[in-house]
Amino acid sequence: MIKRLFFCLFAWVMCSGLSVRAQEGPLPFFRSFLDGNLNKITFPGPNEPGASGRAADGNYKRINRAVLNQWGLQLTRGKEEIGAFYLPEYIFSTQDGLLIEFEYIMMYTNAEEIGITDGICMFLVDATTNEYIGSNLKYGAEGAGFGYTHRRSGHTDIRYGVTSITGMKGGYLAVALDQGHFKNWRFENYEMRNGIPYGDAGIANVQSATYNTRSNVTIRGAAGRGEKVITTSLKTHRIAEGRWGYPVLITRHTGWDEKTGLEDPNSDGLRNKAGFMLNTQTGMYEQYVVPRIDNPFCIAGGKLFYHSDESAYRKAIIALEPNTIGGGFRITVTIQHGTEKTVVIENYTYPSSLLYTENGIPAQFIPGEYPTITYYSNPPQTELALKTPEKLAIGFMASTGQLTSYTNIIRNLRITPLYGANAEDDIYNHRRGPVIVRPLDNDVAYRLVGNQPGASKDNLDLTSFRIWTDEKHCLGDGQFEHEEKGVGKWKYNPESGEMTFFPAKDVGGEAVIWYDIKSIHSPYVAEKYRSSLAKIVINFTDDEG
């Protein structure tokens, strides 16, 4: 027997009694986006919907394009699109740790295209009140803004293509799978936005153009609250809420991409050079390339995939650990590419207040058909002070720019407590007859060792194992047998942790069963720390039963 294992994302799904349906909300959350289920998912609209004009089909260019297809929830496919959704009924406390995991597909819609596109981001928005969620949640600028940030424009006439756009009000954090632009300072007639300046920009704190890379993980901070007044020697700027803040906090380059050959995979290249972090005390960007990335990879897999043993496989793993000193979170972002997992950003501490450079405001602005705009060579710095919201809502967006049609898809989204049990998928190849497998050998649960949680398979409560017939239906506690007509019979042993499968005569293809499990140790014995669903797959290599 050949066994292939790939990591299964966490999910929390609650059930009790015989053949009951999974409960919905509050957290934890799981959705495969492969079964047509969009229950309790909201698709917000844009701020200033006409700010980018209309596409050839007559619709606004920034219309929400999110749709389900056979590969998952497709957020974008064309040019100048945004796909955005959030989970209004799955609010979590910032006192809780959180693990957010999702598989994603990022690829050129037209294979011959090679232009730079944008990417996918996970965002958190203040959910303490209804001021920023519900019908008030609107996304921001397309393209490099990823729907999260604002865009200040020198144009006031839509005939010239773009006008200013308000960013996501109440936004607290955005973690982006960044194809290159989310991290950047932009200052053009049609877009002014703060960020990291690269190249010969004539601006303070500029970084080498060599480090203006594609394929990054980038984190931006909170939207400014209320009106911001910034006074310089030239003028006083009064900036409305939703049009300041969103500073780049940290960015790391992951390696080359498949279109440009940006980095030689056999060299150290830029992956351990092109990284910057905001010094929150000085407001300046400093080179930061910790931890070391040993093997370069493209943030986009560039192709469709089925399983994690394919080179195109991509999964984002975002861990938010409460920061007990100063509020906020410690953030770790890991990307799984193929079977390898690479930590790109590790234990970044997001403070509750910081200083940043607001380099996206014009020093001089003379409106007109061709407005005159100049920028500050030494842009003003300003404080972004924000008490960490007590509650946050979570959402996701993808964005494309003007030049490239790009397909962005996510699936198998799991949002769980940080120290929930971890159940991984198990895939077996089998020729004929009954088979006994040990699916729990690669699973773990937590227990406190001193004051620290430690993970081991020895912490699993074998009797807490529950069988699910699919991702929606659980047999219930203590129900250890299930028979599917024409497929076979499953029987779990709660003493040994073994699962026996008796295939039906002449069965072929694959047989699948789902399960979850939890820890035997307090406090992780609580139901909220139960694992995500994992699946056991028996692939038959011939047609014999």
Side-chain angles (χ1 to χ4, degrees):
M1 181 180 70
I2 300 172
K3 181 178 181 181
R4 304 200 326 269
L5 301 178
F6 62 87
F7 189 81
C8 175
L9 306 175
F10 288 140
W12 294 116
V13 277
M14 306 292 292
C15 72
S16 61
L18 182 61
S19 197
V20 295
R21 291 184 64 85
Q23 297 177 10
E24 295 280 2
L27 289 175
F29 175 91
F30 169 73
R31 198 65 58 81
S32 70
F33 297 124
L34 297 172
D35 63 352
N37 183 11
L38 290 175
N39 188 32
K40 299 190 177 182
I41 290 176
T42 296
F43 298 91
N47 286 314
E48 292 86 36
S52 295
R54 293 182 181 268
D57 61 5
N59 291 316
Y60 290 126
K61 293 179 182 178
R62 297 168 57 243
I63 193 169
N64 197 333
R65 298 289 187 183
V67 294
L68 284 173
N69 65 22
Q70 63 178 325
W71 296 100
L73 182 55
Q74 178 180 287
L75 298 174
T76 68
R77 191 175 186 276
K79 301 177 182 180
E80 294 184 277
E81 289 184 353
I82 282 183
F85 72 94
Y86 90 111
L87 310 175
E89 298 189 35
Y90 296 84
I91 308 300
F92 72 96
S93 167
T94 50
Q95 297 178 3
D96 298 331
L98 205 64
L99 191 68
I100 303 144
E101 305 182 79
F102 57 95
E103 297 174 352
Y104 65 91
I105 295 167
M106 299 171 69
M107 65 181 187
Y108 290 93
T109 305
N110 303 313
E112 64 273 13
E113 291 194 83
I114 60 172
I116 296 177
T117 183
D118 295 297
I120 297 172
C121 79
M122 181 278 298
F123 68 85
L124 302 178
V125 63
D126 186 352
T128 306
T129 69
N130 290 328
E131 183 178 0
Y132 299 113
I133 58 174
S135 61
N136 293 320
L137 180 63
K138 305 290 185 183
Y139 60 78
E142 79 276 19
F146 276 51
Y148 184 68
T149 75
H150 66 292
R151 180 183 73 201
R152 184 176 288 106
S153 175
H155 286 295
T156 57
D157 190 331
I158 195 61
R159 291 176 300 172
Y160 299 101
V162 292
T163 59
S164 295
I165 296 174
T166 300
M168 179 176 288
K169 292 184 178 180
Y172 177 71
L173 180 74
V175 180
L177 312 173
D178 180 12
Q179 295 275 34
H181 285 156
F182 193 59
K183 68 183 186 306
N184 287 20
W185 171 67
R186 300 286 290 272
F187 208 99
E188 304 173 41
N189 283 350
Y190 67 90
E191 183 168 6
M192 290 168 273
R193 184 173 59 100
N194 69 57
I196 302 175
Y198 294 93
D200 185 18
I203 188 173
N205 202 208
V206 69
Q207 309 300 332
S208 170
T210 302
Y211 298 146
N212 187 11
T213 54
R214 301 172 65 163
S215 188
N216 313 274
V217 173
T218 301
I219 300 177
R220 278 188 180 260
R225 300 293 182 86
E227 183 184 65
K228 167 65 72 171
V229 178
I230 298 177
T231 301
T232 71
S233 60
L234 295 179
K235 63 186 299 185
T236 295
H237 300 272
R238 307 188 73 92
I239 310 173
E241 181 171 2
R243 301 200 177 192
W244 66 281
Y246 313 99
V248 173
L249 302 177
I250 186 171
T251 187
R252 285 291 311 277
H253 176 52
T254 67
W256 88 104
D257 69 72
E258 72 277 12
K259 289 290 182 179
T260 65
L262 182 68
E263 181 168 316
D264 180 352
N266 298 313
S267 71
D268 184 56
L270 293 174
R271 64 192 182 279
N272 294 308
K273 298 176 183 177
F276 296 92
M277 182 170 66
L278 176 68
N279 183 323
T280 59
Q281 302 298 311
T282 67
M284 307 295 276
Y285 289 104
E286 300 173 352
Q287 193 172 31
Y288 187 84
V289 288
V290 177
R292 180 180 175 82
I293 297 175
D294 291 326
N295 297 314
F297 65 94
C298 181
I299 197 67
K303 297 179 181 179
L304 299 170
F305 58 80
Y306 291 92
H307 299 303
S308 64
D309 54 4
E310 300 175 55
S311 61
Y313 181 86
R314 292 293 184 272
K315 180 176 68 177
I317 306 166
I318 303 169
L320 304 175
E321 182 181 0
N323 180 22
T324 56
I325 302 175
F329 293 105
R330 287 190 291 273
I331 305 166
T332 297
V333 182
T334 302
I335 304 297
Q336 182 173 344
H337 45 106
T339 58
E340 183 176 353
K341 297 175 187 174
T342 298
V343 178
V344 181
I345 293 174
E346 186 172 33
N347 286 328
Y348 173 77
T349 300
Y350 178 22
S352 56
S353 64
L354 56 88
L355 192 70
Y356 79 98
T357 301
E358 185 53 81
N359 53 25
I361 57 176
Q364 183 184 45
F365 172 54
I366 302 175
E369 182 175 354
Y370 300 99
T372 300
I373 305 173
T374 60
Y375 51 78
Y376 290 97
S377 58
N378 288 287
Q381 295 182 336
T382 191
E383 184 180 12
L384 178 60
L386 177 64
K387 181 180 179 181
T388 305
E390 294 181 1
K391 296 180 180 180
L392 291 166
I394 186 169
F396 296 83
M397 290 182 288
S399 180
T400 61
Q402 296 177 341
L403 302 179
T404 304
S405 297
Y406 211 77
T407 295
N408 291 291
I409 298 171
I410 73 168
R411 68 188 187 203
N412 289 327
L413 169 62
R414 306 173 191 253
I415 307 169
T416 67
L418 194 57
Y419 298 115
N422 175 9
E424 297 192 7
D425 286 359
D426 300 273
I427 301 179
Y428 304 86
N429 291 340
H430 181 61
R431 288 189 60 82
R432 58 176 64 86
V435 56
I436 299 175
V437 298
R438 298 184 57 84
L440 306 182
D441 282 356
N442 60 328
D443 299 345
V444 297
Y446 286 85
R447 70 175 296 181
L448 287 175
V449 181
N451 293 323
Q452 296 298 319
S456 169
K457 71 175 183 178
D458 296 331
N459 299 329
L460 294 167
D461 179 2
L462 301 187
T463 66
S464 72
F465 186 98
R466 299 188 306 192
I467 293 175
W468 292 68
T469 58
D470 56 36
E471 65 183 62
K472 297 180 182 179
H473 299 92
C474 176
L475 296 186
D477 295 336
Q479 305 296 316
F480 298 137
E481 295 185 19
H482 173 67
E483 185 169 3
E484 184 178 354
K485 186 177 181 180
V487 177
K489 182 177 181 180
W490 301 87
K491 186 174 181 179
Y492 171 74
N493 186 332
E495 295 183 0
S496 66
E498 294 177 337
M499 175 71 86
T500 303
F501 179 64
F502 303 91
K505 184 178 180 180
D506 298 327
V507 69
E510 66 177 26
V512 180
I513 199 77
W514 300 72
Y515 73 92
D516 63 19
I517 198 165
K518 63 179 180 177
S519 175
I520 201 171
H521 299 290
S522 181
Y524 307 114
V525 69
E527 200 64 26
K528 73 175 184 176
Y529 293 108
R530 185 174 283 275
S531 78
S532 67
L533 291 184
K535 62 184 176 182
I536 304 169
V537 180
I538 308 296
N539 284 319
F540 295 97
T541 58
D542 57 28
D543 293 330
E544 297 187 40

